[in-house]
Amino acid sequence: MLANTVLHEPVSQLRGVGTALSEKLGKLGIVRVADLLFHLPLRYQDRTRIYSIASLRPEQEVLVEGEIEATEVINRGRTMLLCHIHDGTGLLTLRFFHFSTAQKYSLAKGVRIRCFGEVRQAGFKLEMAHPEYQLLNTNDPPPLENTLTPTYPSTEGLQQRTLRRLITLALEHADELPELLPPSALRQHQFPALRECLQLLHNPQGGKLDNGRLGGISTRLIFEELLAHQLGVQQARLAIQQVQAPAMLEENHFWQALRHALPFAPTAAQTRVISEITHDLQQPIPMNRLVQGDVGSGKTLVAVAAALHAIANGFQVALMAPTELLAEQHYQNLQRWLEPLGVETVFISGGQTARQRRRKVENLLLGIGHIAVGTHALFQNSVEFLQLGLIIIDEQHRFGVHQRFALREKGKQGEHYPHQLVMTATPIPRTLAMTAYGDMDYSVIDELPPGRTPITTVALSNERRDEVIERIAAASREGRQVYWVCTLIEESEVLQCEAAEKTAELLRERLPHIQVGLVHGRLHGSEKERIMREFKQGALQLLVATTVIEVGVDVPNASLMVIENAERMGLAQLHQLRGRVGRGKVASSCVLLYQAPLGKTARKRLDAMRTTTDGFVIADIDLELRGSGEVLGTRQTGDVRLKIASLVRDQHWLPAVQTAARDIVANYPERLEALTERWLQRVGEDTATRFFQS
Ligand code: ADP
Ligand code: MG
């Protein structure tokens, strides 16, 4: 539909876009000129007005203007430049870690300065670190911006300025965009024209955006994106029902045997979900089921029951975990449970040498190995199966949609596709799950195994670390084990590991009677495995770890969890981390260490953690907190990547969206492809097409 317009052309057709730049744009899913228009801002900077220093609050990103009072170079371990300014209402310090001599002299007393940056609290004072600034000629101050300045999602080496310039170019052609919403929806909801919405989103006037959040103008785009998503999901579901899978009708005698050997009985919820899965596996079309169960609800056992059903029917199973650590743990559990049944588990790891792997791979190809456990190494490497019948993906929020489909594709045997089971601990309300994962059926394990005592959570400031260390000593005297999780906001894994090493050293010093282990992402698989095994067996009392232990690790004797820098972490991640304790009969506790003073949102997050352990409640609060503030609606629910809509926040639109979807399918089928092409992301490989191919 876009044919013969500039919008349809590759971005390289635009002025100044060479190969290097179009590659970078490609990483953002921007391939054609039209994609630029739908590359929507993450947030806005307000350079339209000057704030008085007295009105500043920490975490605000604002424009300030004042006169320089004094400039000094100080040395606190490193040299820095401090420039103190005042504006008649208060004082603000600008802090520079890198500066030139010329810069130092230009920031002289009495000079007027305008700066833009994030305000932060330093002791009792406010400051800005490395603000953008300009020195002003008092008689002729430069004008302020008329519109808010958008900040776009970007990638390394791609400047905001470049994105803004290209998007402005693309906006000249916004008129050529075809209308894809059905007329009835346009009429009923009185949506403004598409061009108008895009203009405003890319160049918003301050007032129209109520505090930087998208106001009414975004609704139309949200609606359109939800519609595209809905249509995509429907198509995917239809496509899956067109293909064949092996109907596994034999009795699951392995499961009967394992159930009797287990020291506990499956919960009613586990039993129900297992029978839902069994029913799917008996059908001649591929199962495509999502199992959701809060941390500790016993998803592994459900996965094992499903695997055994496939194996009892003569098929092989692939079980994929998001991290090596988790894959190793699954492997050990499975081996322990399945070996007595004569079921052979094979561990495929990214860390294995080609030689180590060859035997294992051969066994899978010959059908001697029944179940393969691993990370994505399972489908990246040359692993082939004799008869793959079922793929299980654990903690799926770490896997993208396209990985799921690539895996299914890989398991294809003749006309038959494998069944697929996806397990997640991310709590998603049911109605939402039906939309977000509308291509899948959905089961919930809504019950925890009996005998668990709730976890007590406290938030302590870093000044009370000594108390925490004392608690660790006490726990270990009682024969309990402890996790200490080091988290850093920095993306760098190297830094994370270094921090964890330092902490481990310190704790070893302070707790000489305790065996302290350390796991982080830079250890070799075998080394990690050894330490985890020692912790599991109780040879180590304290495990210092980076967030590699976030998902799935299971050591029931661990009853104390300490999380550092808790104020910087998201609720979902904190909930996952805390879920590592409270798995045994003893009362467990969780200490959230934070650096004071706490921001408002951080305080609310920690409060939520203290007052509830219910994953659904936490998910709701998380949503509420994220919904506020300046972040626009790019919330991610599981692996559903949406540009502007949020399936949670915007769920009240879903009935209307469904009506519109039916309207499109019945009356405007030619718009279907254009809609999904416009909205579904093309990041890396072509997700949109894969969506339909599978
Ligand atoms: P998750 O759902 O977080 O993956 P796991 O599968 O790791 O949870 O199970 C958590 C712990 O509960 C494990 O030690 C597991 O053996 C145990 N468990 C699972 N099902 C039951 C049950 N029905 N009764 C008692 N313990 C169970
Ligand atoms: Mg698990």
Side-chain angles (χ1 to χ4, degrees):
M1 281 234 292
L2 285 177
N4 302 327
T5 78
V6 175
L7 292 174
H8 195 59
E9 312 240 306
V11 270
S12 54
Q13 293 302 305
L14 292 176
R15 254 175 288 141
V17 182
T19 328
L21 182 52
S22 48
E23 258 171 37
K24 282 180 199 145
L25 291 168
K27 281 194 195 151
L28 297 173
I30 302 172
V31 180
R32 297 178 187 164
V33 177
D35 297 332
L36 281 164
L37 294 175
F38 293 92
H39 192 64
L40 300 173
L42 277 176
R43 58 201 172 85
Y44 300 96
Q45 292 176 342
D46 185 356
R47 297 167 191 251
T48 63
R49 66 192 188 98
I50 292 169
Y51 281 66
S52 69
I53 293 180
S55 72
L56 299 184
R57 298 281 170 273
E59 288 169 41
Q60 275 179 332
E61 214 183 9
V62 291
L63 203 58
V64 170
E65 199 174 299
E67 195 176 301
I68 298 179
E69 183 102 309
T71 295
E72 55 178 336
V73 175
I74 61 163
N75 198 318
R76 297 268 184 286
R78 66 197 282 194
T79 318
M80 46 191 134
L81 180 75
L82 300 184
C83 174
H84 309 283
I85 68 172
H86 72 99
D87 71 346
T89 73
L91 271 171
L92 180 72
T93 300
L94 315 179
R95 188 186 292 270
F96 299 89
F97 296 103
H98 312 280
F99 58 93
S100 65
T101 316
Q103 197 177 3
K104 184 176 87 183
Y105 288 118
S106 70
L107 296 172
K109 182 171 162 55
V111 170
R112 270 197 88 69
I113 184 169
R114 184 183 288 175
C115 40
F116 183 82
E118 193 185 323
V119 180
R120 55 181 210 190
Q121 187 92 39
F124 293 111
K125 298 192 187 136
L126 293 178
E127 64 172 41
M128 275 185 189
H130 279 275
E132 294 169 39
Y133 70 87
Q134 58 188 144
L135 303 179
L136 305 179
N137 175 341
T138 329
N139 303 326
D140 183 23
L144 295 169
E145 304 271 349
N146 285 325
T147 61
L148 298 181
T149 315
T151 304
Y152 294 100
S154 190
T155 183
E156 206 178 322
L158 181 55
Q159 292 186 347
Q160 290 294 326
R161 228 171 344 123
T162 312
L163 276 171
R164 285 184 204 130
R165 180 177 69 79
L166 295 176
I167 289 169
T168 308
L169 283 177
L171 276 171
E172 287 169 21
H173 302 278
D175 278 341
E176 299 162 24
L177 281 173
E179 179 57 71
L180 297 178
L181 287 183
S184 58
L186 282 172
R187 257 197 323 273
Q188 191 185 344
H189 308 296
Q190 306 199 329
F191 288 134
L194 180 58
R195 176 180 45 82
E196 203 180 311
C197 296
L198 290 171
Q199 287 284 6
L200 278 170
L201 281 178
H202 290 294
N203 296 302
Q205 314 287 315
K208 296 222 174 134
L209 274 184
D210 72 87
N211 275 335
R213 288 186 62 192
L214 292 170
I217 42 162
S218 59
T219 318
R220 186 215 136 98
L221 294 179
I222 289 173
F223 188 93
E224 207 180 298
E225 181 172 38
L226 289 174
L227 176 62
H229 177 258
Q230 182 71 27
L231 289 166
V233 159
Q234 276 176 12
Q235 296 302 108
R237 193 179 180 98
L238 283 176
I240 289 164
Q241 286 164 351
Q242 308 293 311
V243 301
Q244 296 165 25
M248 302 175 173
L249 298 166
E250 296 292 325
E251 271 296 304
N252 188 355
H253 61 274
F254 286 130
W255 172 238
Q256 319 296 350
L258 177 63
R259 220 174 42 193
H260 289 114
L262 284 174
F264 50 75
T267 61
Q270 283 170 320
T271 307
R272 175 176 40 79
V273 173
I274 291 170
S275 70
E276 285 165 2
I277 293 169
T278 307
H279 176 263
D280 286 354
L281 292 173
Q282 291 166 339
Q283 310 309 311
I285 55 169
M287 166 169 77
N288 194 27
R289 185 170 288 275
L290 176 70
V291 170
Q292 198 256 304
D294 209 344
V295 282
S297 60
K299 290 185 289 296
T300 315
L301 192 67
V302 169
V304 166
L308 289 176
H309 188 93
I311 296 166
N313 277 268
F315 288 91
Q316 290 166 300
V317 178
L319 170 58
M320 195 159 74
T323 63
E324 287 274 326
L325 198 62
L326 209 53
E328 281 158 23
Q329 177 182 289
H330 277 323
Y331 171 66
Q332 278 154 19
N333 276 336
L334 292 185
Q335 244 196 342
R336 186 160 42 91
W337 284 342
L338 303 187
E339 206 160 38
L341 306 175
V343 169
E344 189 66 34
T345 312
V346 176
F347 181 48
I348 304 283
S349 147
Q352 287 160 342
T353 64
R355 260 192 47 219
Q356 286 171 326
R357 199 183 296 124
R358 189 173 340 127
R359 257 291 288 296
K360 301 174 194 285
V361 171
E362 267 170 22
N363 282 352
L364 289 173
L365 191 55
L366 294 172
I368 302 170
H370 300 112
I371 170 161
V373 182
T375 60
H376 50 284
L378 267 185
F379 71 99
Q380 274 177 350
N381 299 308
S382 52
V383 182
E384 302 281 339
F385 294 84
L386 180 66
Q387 278 272 47
L388 182 61
L390 169 65
I391 295 168
I392 303 174
I393 305 176
D394 192 15
E395 306 293 358
Q396 70 92 52
H397 51 286
R398 297 287 185 91
F399 287 112
V401 173
H402 58 284
Q403 279 171 308
R404 229 162 62 209
F405 286 118
L407 201 60
R408 194 203 305 276
E409 202 61 36
K410 176 166 173 75
K412 188 177 177 192
Q413 320 223 285
E415 288 305 297
H416 282 184
Y417 284 81
H419 295 281
Q420 210 172 76
L421 179 64
V422 173
M423 304 195 294
T424 179
T426 311
I428 322 160
R430 186 180 188 93
T431 45
L432 179 63
M434 285 165 62
T435 320
Y437 303 104
D439 60 320
M440 290 194 263
D441 294 305
Y442 181 63
S443 302
V444 200
I445 312 179
D446 50 7
E447 174 186 5
L448 292 180
R452 304 257 166 98
T453 29
I455 307 168
T456 327
T457 302
V458 292
L460 297 180
S461 91
N462 278 332
E463 281 138 40
R464 299 173 64 183
R465 272 173 118 81
D466 287 349
E467 282 169 51
V468 180
I469 293 175
E470 182 41 45
R471 279 174 94 132
I472 297 176
S476 83
R477 279 196 295 274
E478 285 164 23
R480 300 282 138 214
Q481 288 167 284
V482 182
Y483 292 102
W484 182 297
V485 185
C486 304
T487 66
L488 272 185
I489 194 103
E490 272 87 352
E491 289 289 283
S492 153
E493 186 164 288
V494 178
L495 284 178
Q496 281 228 8
C497 300
E498 277 176 8
E501 271 162 14
K502 277 204 191 113
T503 308
E505 221 167 275
L506 184 113
L507 290 170
R508 278 191 187 115
E509 255 169 47
R510 300 284 307 272
L511 297 162
H513 306 296
I514 288 180
Q515 295 302 310
V516 181
L518 169 67
V519 282
H520 57 60
R522 282 200 303 168
L523 291 183
H524 277 298
S526 57
E527 180 69 4
K528 246 187 301 191
E529 197 188 338
R530 183 180 63 76
I531 297 168
M532 282 312 296
R533 199 183 316 119
E534 287 178 7
F535 187 63
K536 257 190 155 143
Q537 291 167 347
L540 299 171
Q541 285 87 51
L542 170 60
L543 186 69
V544 178
T546 55
T547 46
V548 293
I549 65 146
E550 181 190 341
V551 279
V553 173
D554 182 43
V555 179
N557 190 47
S559 67
L560 174 59
M561 158 73 61
V562 182
I563 305 174
E564 276 194 286
N565 298 323
E567 81 279 9
R568 297 179 182 180
M569 304 189 60
L571 265 177
Q573 208 184 4
L574 287 172
H575 178 64
Q576 284 290 332
L577 281 170
R578 179 172 61 183
R580 300 309 105 217
V581 294
R583 305 185 144 231
K585 293 204 170 54
V586 191
S588 291
S589 47
C590 172
V591 176
L592 305 171
L593 276 175
Y594 64 85
Q595 179 62 48
L598 279 178
K600 212 162 80 195
T601 318
R603 176 174 303 279
K604 285 192 182 150
R605 280 200 298 262
L606 298 188
D607 281 347
M609 288 295 292
R610 287 194 300 109
T611 45
T612 181
T613 51
D614 182 326
F616 282 97
V617 175
I618 287 183
D620 277 347
I621 299 176
D622 192 23
L623 168 69
E624 222 180 276
L625 293 181
R626 288 188 197 216
S628 58
E630 292 200 329
V631 180
L632 303 186
T634 43
R635 184 185 146 81
Q636 296 182 6
T637 302
D639 56 9
V640 183
R641 306 257 292 281
L642 295 173
K643 290 176 198 279
I644 184 169
S646 149
L647 290 169
V648 182
R649 182 197 59 205
D650 305 319
Q651 52 183 309
H652 59 280
W653 278 108
L654 291 175
V657 165
Q658 268 146 13
T659 308
R662 278 192 296 273
D663 197 356
I664 294 274
V665 172
N667 304 316
Y668 310 93
E670 73 285 356
R671 295 190 185 182
L672 210 149
E673 203 187 317
L675 264 168
T676 44
E677 167 165 310
R678 181 179 283 176
W679 288 99
L680 297 190
Q681 294 208 345
R682 282 183 289 269
V683 176
E685 68 185 287
D686 195 339
T687 319
T689 9
R690 290 214 78 99
F691 213 49
F692 291 103
Q693 275 166 359
S694 58

